Amino acid sequence: MRQRKVGVMVESFPMPIMDGIKKASELGLDGFQVFVTGGVMAPENMTKTGRDDFKAYVASQGLVISALCADYGYGFLDANKNDEYVPKSLACVDLAVDLGTNVITTHIGTLPTDMNDPSYKVCQEAMTVLAKYAESKGIYFASETGPECAEELYAFLKTIPSKGIAVNYDPANLAMNGFDHINGVRVLKDYIVHTHAKDGVQYSKPDRSVPSPLEVPLGKGNVDFPTYLAVLDEVGFDGFLTIERETGEDPAADIIEAAGYLRTL
């Protein structure tokens, strides 16, 4: 059985970031992802000394940073918002360099189904700027899966003229939205640099009129993890499976269980 790299989204622990990093180390995880869009981790709030100290602390815990999360919550389909959030995202690329990780993840927004939609071009322009800058720094700027099927995301990524564009593959987001989370790996295989280990179900509201996604503990939802991981192996992915637990009464217990489960596969 191969040794998989298992990490955690450190904010999934209901505790301060530094304590969460220590907790990840105590659990024997290999690394973690951390949000950098606000608070002490935001680029504008981290001095050179602060960056060096944080990197040293991570190393002292025997961990690596699997990725930074630079998701400001707006995507990149609005030109007016891009005037603010593209520069902020560029600063996150510089932060990634200083902290010693080569992956930044974000949600780029729900792509229009019509490639001639003006917002599609707006997103293309923003992602080209971000991807080219990331590539120049040895960083991948990775779009998280979920709002659209893998084929539609792939079509978009192919229009970005840079090797800095990439994918953070979240099978639960796809499954919760009714998309194929297994074959999607094969579709996006050339772009996947990081993954989220999360689970969920797609269910209908009581009147069954609207499908509503629900995140559940890993292994308890619609994600077929044995097959999913086998396909990741098939396409040669050797990166992180980063556990993300956004809900639940005891996220820490769910993370411990998830890590154990992943290492049995």
Side-chain angles (χ1 to χ4, degrees):
M1 184 184 300
R2 58 169 296 185
Q3 180 67 34
R4 302 185 186 280
K5 289 183 280 192
V6 179
V8 66
M9 176 69 78
V10 75
E11 285 83 4
S12 294
F13 291 119
M15 58 185 68
I17 289 174
M18 303 304 266
D19 293 339
I21 293 171
K22 184 176 181 181
K23 184 68 172 179
S25 178
E26 291 172 350
L27 294 178
L29 299 178
D30 302 299
F32 65 92
Q33 182 177 12
V34 61
F35 271 87
V36 294
T37 53
V40 297
M41 293 301 301
E44 62 270 22
N45 295 331
M46 290 199 82
T47 64
K48 177 63 168 63
T49 299
R51 297 175 189 211
D52 290 343
D53 289 348
F54 185 82
K55 185 177 179 180
Y57 180 73
V58 172
S60 75
Q61 296 301 307
L63 300 173
V64 299
I65 303 172
S66 67
L68 303 184
C69 184
D71 185 357
Y72 286 94
Y74 298 101
F76 295 95
L77 281 76
D78 184 325
N80 292 324
K81 286 186 170 62
N82 287 353
D83 288 341
E84 176 180 359
Y85 292 108
V86 167
K88 284 180 177 288
S89 298
L90 292 173
C92 292
V93 173
D94 294 331
L95 180 62
V97 173
D98 290 343
L99 296 183
T101 185
N102 69 340
V103 177
I104 291 175
T105 75
T106 191
H107 284 272
I108 65 174
T110 303
L111 294 169
T113 55
D114 181 3
M115 296 178 73
N116 294 314
D117 187 302
S119 64
Y120 198 96
K121 183 177 180 181
V122 168
C123 192
Q124 284 176 315
E125 292 173 347
M127 295 310 297
T128 296
V129 170
L130 291 167
K132 286 186 173 181
Y133 187 71
E135 182 181 6
S136 75
K137 299 291 186 176
I139 305 295
Y140 291 107
F141 203 88
S143 172
E144 186 164 328
T145 56
E148 57 280 309
C149 67
E151 290 80 4
E152 290 178 355
L153 179 57
Y154 177 81
F156 174 82
L157 297 175
K158 290 290 288 183
T159 71
I160 308 301
S162 171
K163 293 181 180 179
I165 194 71
V167 164
N168 175 50
Y169 200 93
D170 189 317
N173 286 350
L174 291 166
M176 288 189 293
N177 284 313
F179 300 128
D180 186 343
H181 66 284
I182 300 297
N183 194 57
V185 174
R186 298 186 179 98
V187 173
L188 294 167
K189 62 183 177 64
D190 293 333
Y191 289 97
I192 301 172
V193 295
H194 189 265
T195 73
H196 279 166
K198 189 171 72 179
D199 209 344
V201 296
Q202 183 188 32
Y203 71 104
S204 294
K205 290 185 177 180
D207 62 3
R208 298 186 179 277
S209 61
V210 181
S212 301
L214 175 68
E215 185 196 334
V216 298
L218 196 147
K220 307 267 194 301
N222 294 151
V223 177
D224 179 354
F225 273 96
T227 302
Y228 166 63
L229 295 183
V231 176
L232 283 178
D233 291 344
E234 172 191 310
V235 302
F237 178 74
D238 192 34
F240 265 87
L241 307 173
T242 297
I243 299 164
E244 183 181 24
R245 186 72 174 118
E246 297 178 307
T247 62
E249 295 181 1
D250 192 348
D254 291 340
I255 291 165
I256 294 169
E257 183 177 351
Y261 175 64
L262 289 171
R263 286 187 164 140
T264 68
L265 300 175

